[in-house]
Amino acid sequence: MKQTPDIKPTATALLVAPAAILMFGVFVLPFVFLVVLSFWSQVPGSVGIDPTFTLANYARIIGDGYYLGGLWTTLWLSGLVTLICLVLALPLARWIVLHAKRSKGLLIGLCILPLVCGALLPTLGLVNLLSPLGFINGALKSMGLIKTSLPLLGNIAGVSIGLVQAFLPLMILPLISTIERIPHDYEKAAMSLGATRLVVWRRVLLPLMLPGIVAGSLLVFCASLTAFVTPQILGQGKVVTFASLAYQQAAMVLDWPFASALGMVMLLFLALAGLLGALVSRGLGRRT
Amino acid sequence: MKRIACYAALTAVSLFPCLPALAQDYSGHTLVVGTWGGDIERLLREHVAGPLEAKTGAKVEFLLGGSGDRMSKMVAERNNPTMDVTFQNIYEAPAALKEGLVVAPDAALVPTAADVWAGMNDGCYAMSLVGLGIAYSKALFPEAPEWADLWKAEFKGKMAYAPYPSSEGDGMLAVAARIAGVDEHDPDAAFAKLAELGAPVLSYSSLDEVFTLMDAGEIAAAPMISGYVLSNLGNYEGIGFVFPKDPGPVLVRDMVCQVANSPEPELAKMFIDLALSVETQTAYAKELNFGPTNSKVELTEEEAARVINTPEEVKSLLQLDWSYIIEQRSDWTDRWNKQILGQ
């Protein structure tokens, strides 16, 4: 019995063509240009571009501790945000699946809200909350808990708070879909055999949640790695990330070749993260 | 027959003055103008775009954003520009002309340009005059500070800067160089001296952000451009603004440029002509505290006190070698990131 109706190759080509042409025009071509541009250079003291092949931009990134430092900060900041999101999202996703009955749709909607708001508005809201004269410092001072303001902006703490707020939904959603597929009986069976709650989490639930954890972690890590608005505003120019460096070079210094090389390095790490995620997923698939 | 010929001649002569008006019917045309948002856009709509639309039938469309974005756009669209007029900073205008991105200023093309103070149409047409002075916390500075006062030990690490590269940052480097006894052509001395002020409290993305903290005494001072600050200062009792004397405030000019090979060159020239007119320049001075470049603008004594509006005042200001500074952009940005922010 045929599962799908017969479609002629011509019809397939016609159906695929609009999207393929669009992707080729707005993604593939600019991407190829970006790759080529990263091997060109800016004419010194000018906004002109010298189209002679050079590795100078990449040599500058590798040879300058400042850019390597920016790369390292971006990588470990993304890892930290992924870890915090995972720790916060695991119990929340599980609670939504197991205990939120009628309110489940509403709760999932609230979780998605930061994604559909865009980055700018929530980040500007956070500035008011986190600034030395903002709500959090004001509340702590009025309760007598602190005398001088806690530095929550212009540092890793502030940027991490902003990124977790922005990307937590990317962790929650894959986890919800994974947890929903775990039969409740497994947990009860393990406990009936004498497993403590901790053992149930470690030996039963976490391994079964791994596909969701891998998917969510990959999404949050990649989104944090490329985030621009949140680190730019909450970092107040003092937290150097690769995206903010690329923006500075592209939009303010107008050194597009160097900005392209920065972008290419960022893409390389995205590809590595994707590859790692794919390997882990394949390993999980084989095990199950 | 002779009478008919005479009538025909008279009719032709009487219609002649109308001919340029007929030639200026631009219905269906759109002029694209890149500028900053907020009050600047509002004033341009009221005093330039509105009258131009009424006069020509054309539509004026504004592209809002930073001048760096517009510079990028001009470079990217070098062969096929979509923007006709752009407002740029003083340091970008000569570079834009050198790269062939804009049309050289010429009073034969834009008649009002002849009324602009001599020597100011550098790269593009001079739109407004402002100076880089010091915005300061009155709680920390009982008296208005001089530049050198910022280097007192108690203010170390209490400055705020605009994101670099910017005219504020370049101006502050030039001031630091002079405090060190040299000028902007000695970047080693300039960066070393500025680094003595410590890492800034913040690189601000909005005036409200920095003013709130300065009003509360968390930020001691910030080098700022007069027009924007004076327009916003009324909301903050604890903040003052001063044009220091030694060295004087750094002259900063906003420029209006006709984009080279743009789709609507005639409308672009008319737009710039209106932008430089006495009416628009007066509104800029009265409402934004931006000094007029049109020498025919007359201000009251009170209004004139808040703006730079004479060549004598301009001469008292610190004028920088912007062409040199723009050539150092890439190198200085690296140095700013490492030596000023990365302390």
Side-chain angles (χ1 to χ4, degrees):
Chain A
M1 196 173 73
K2 283 181 180 175
Q3 296 297 313
T4 50
D6 273 338
I7 301 177
K8 290 178 184 172
T10 331
T12 307
L14 281 173
L15 286 170
V16 171
I21 291 168
L22 185 75
M23 285 302 286
F24 186 77
V26 302
F27 178 72
V28 178
L29 275 184
F31 181 75
V32 170
F33 183 62
L34 187 82
V35 176
V36 173
L37 195 60
S38 72
F39 293 104
W40 291 353
S41 61
Q42 190 186 36
V43 178
S46 154
V47 292
I49 291 170
D50 178 1
T52 311
F53 177 86
T54 176
L55 291 170
N57 296 316
Y58 291 98
R60 186 175 165 194
I61 295 170
I62 296 165
D64 191 328
Y66 179 73
Y67 293 102
L68 286 180
L71 179 62
W72 172 238
T73 304
T74 313
L75 286 172
W76 78 258
L77 176 69
S78 304
L80 177 71
V81 169
T82 307
L83 190 67
I84 297 171
C85 282
L86 183 62
V87 170
L88 293 177
L90 268 175
L92 182 62
R94 192 171 135 80
W95 190 89
I96 289 175
V97 172
L98 295 185
H99 303 292
K101 296 199 166 59
R102 272 190 234 164
S103 58
K104 189 176 170 185
L106 177 70
L107 287 171
I108 291 176
L110 285 174
C111 287
I112 295 171
L113 205 57
L115 279 184
V116 294
C117 283
L120 193 60
L121 278 180
T123 306
L124 289 176
L126 277 174
V127 171
N128 286 326
L129 279 180
L130 303 175
S131 86
L133 306 173
F135 176 77
I136 292 176
N137 274 309
L140 291 174
K141 278 178 190 168
S142 65
M143 287 188 279
L145 295 173
I146 55 169
K147 283 183 181 171
T148 53
S149 297
L150 296 174
L152 297 173
L153 282 178
N155 52 24
I156 291 289
V159 176
S160 303
I161 291 169
L163 290 175
V164 167
Q165 182 277 142
F167 300 136
L168 191 59
L170 296 177
M171 186 67 87
I172 292 175
L173 294 177
L175 281 177
I176 286 178
S177 93
T178 308
I179 294 170
E180 273 178 334
R181 290 202 298 268
I182 301 173
H184 299 181
D185 303 347
Y186 286 15
E187 197 178 336
K188 286 177 187 164
M191 290 183 87
S192 73
L193 292 170
T196 59
R197 282 201 175 275
L198 192 67
V199 172
V200 170
W201 265 94
R202 194 166 56 85
R203 303 284 300 274
V204 180
L205 293 177
L206 280 178
L208 289 170
M209 288 177 189
L210 261 180
I213 291 173
V214 171
S217 299
L218 196 60
L219 286 173
V220 174
F221 184 82
C222 291
S224 303
L225 196 71
T226 53
F228 166 66
V229 174
T230 305
Q232 184 78 0
I233 295 176
L234 299 181
Q236 297 188 324
K238 289 188 284 185
V239 177
V240 180
T241 64
F242 236 51
S244 61
L245 283 173
Y247 171 78
Q248 186 183 45
Q249 291 296 327
M252 300 174 88
V253 181
L254 302 182
D255 189 346
W256 295 351
F258 186 53
S260 302
L262 290 168
M264 291 308 299
V265 171
M266 204 152 67
L267 276 172
L268 174 73
F269 279 91
L270 284 179
L272 286 176
L275 187 69
L276 188 69
L279 286 175
V280 173
S281 297
R282 190 181 291 178
L284 288 175
R286 278 191 193 140
R287 212 172 66 181
T288 53
Chain B
M1 189 68 189
K2 200 174 178 182
R3 183 179 286 179
I4 290 170
C6 194
Y7 279 141
L10 275 174
T11 308
V13 169
S14 63
L15 278 175
F16 185 73
C18 302
L19 287 177
L22 288 172
Q24 287 180 353
D25 183 12
Y26 287 91
S27 302
H29 292 239
T30 301
L31 178 77
V32 180
V33 178
T35 188
W36 296 276
D39 283 334
I40 290 181
E41 181 211 357
R42 178 178 60 78
L43 285 187
L44 288 176
R45 279 194 191 283
E46 283 173 21
H47 298 278
V48 185
L52 186 67
E53 285 176 340
K55 183 180 164 190
T56 62
K59 188 172 173 285
V60 178
E61 196 175 275
F62 283 99
L63 285 179
L64 303 180
S67 65
D69 297 340
R70 292 192 285 279
M71 197 77 180
S72 306
K73 190 174 173 65
M74 278 196 288
V75 175
E77 298 179 346
R78 187 193 287 268
N79 298 322
N80 190 21
T82 57
M83 191 165 59
D84 300 288
V85 176
T86 178
F87 285 77
Q88 300 296 145
N89 285 322
I90 186 170
Y91 55 84
E92 294 160 335
L97 181 63
K98 191 176 148 196
E99 301 288 337
L101 301 173
V102 298
V103 177
D106 186 349
L109 304 174
V110 176
T112 328
D115 298 333
V116 171
W117 297 112
M120 288 195 183
N121 292 328
D122 182 9
C124 297
Y125 300 90
M127 180 66 199
S128 53
L129 302 176
V130 279
L132 185 76
I134 305 172
Y136 61 94
S137 161
K138 288 180 182 172
L140 299 178
F141 291 98
E143 287 180 23
E146 272 294 320
W147 291 117
D149 294 330
L150 302 180
W151 270 263
K152 287 180 180 170
E154 62 262 41
F155 304 123
K156 184 168 183 178
K158 298 205 82 173
M159 296 288 292
Y161 300 131
Y164 194 86
S166 61
S167 40
E168 289 96 332
D170 288 329
M172 194 59 200
L173 278 169
V175 167
R178 278 158 180 81
I179 299 279
V182 291
D183 66 16
E184 63 269 22
H185 297 90
D186 187 347
D188 290 344
F191 275 99
K193 193 69 192 172
L194 191 59
E196 288 177 15
L197 292 180
V201 178
L202 83 159
S203 291
Y204 57 86
S205 49
S206 77
L207 282 183
D208 279 340
E209 189 183 6
V210 66
F211 280 170
T212 305
L213 293 175
M214 196 182 282
D215 201 28
E218 303 257 351
I219 288 170
M224 286 190 167
I225 293 170
S226 55
Y228 304 111
V229 181
L230 291 166
S231 301
N232 285 276
L233 220 52
N235 303 324
Y236 301 92
E237 286 181 5
I239 300 176
F241 180 81
V242 63
F243 281 138
K245 292 185 174 61
D246 184 24
V250 180
L251 172 63
V252 181
R253 258 173 285 171
D254 282 347
M255 313 293 284
V256 56
C257 315
Q258 183 190 341
V259 179
N261 307 314
S262 82
E264 297 290 352
E266 293 308 316
L267 285 170
K269 283 180 255 181
M270 283 186 257
F271 183 96
I272 296 169
D273 202 47
L274 279 167
L276 301 178
S277 70
V278 170
E279 195 210 344
T280 309
Q281 294 276 311
T282 307
Y284 256 59
K286 288 186 175 181
E287 295 188 43
L288 297 183
N289 301 303
F290 279 22
T293 53
N294 189 319
S295 57
K296 293 186 176 171
V297 170
E298 289 180 6
L299 300 174
T300 64
E301 204 170 309
E302 190 189 342
E303 289 160 357
R306 293 167 67 85
V307 300
I308 298 157
N309 68 324
T310 65
E312 291 71 34
E313 278 183 296
V314 172
K315 274 181 191 165
S316 75
L317 303 180
L318 184 58
Q319 302 215 37
L320 307 185
D321 184 354
W322 290 108
S323 297
Y324 168 77
I325 289 173
I326 194 83
E327 285 175 10
Q328 314 305 314
R329 176 120 303 178
S330 181
D331 180 38
W332 286 19
T333 302
D334 270 2
R335 296 181 75 151
W336 183 276
N337 289 339
K338 293 172 192 172
Q339 287 178 250
I340 308 300
L341 299 180
Q343 293 183 76

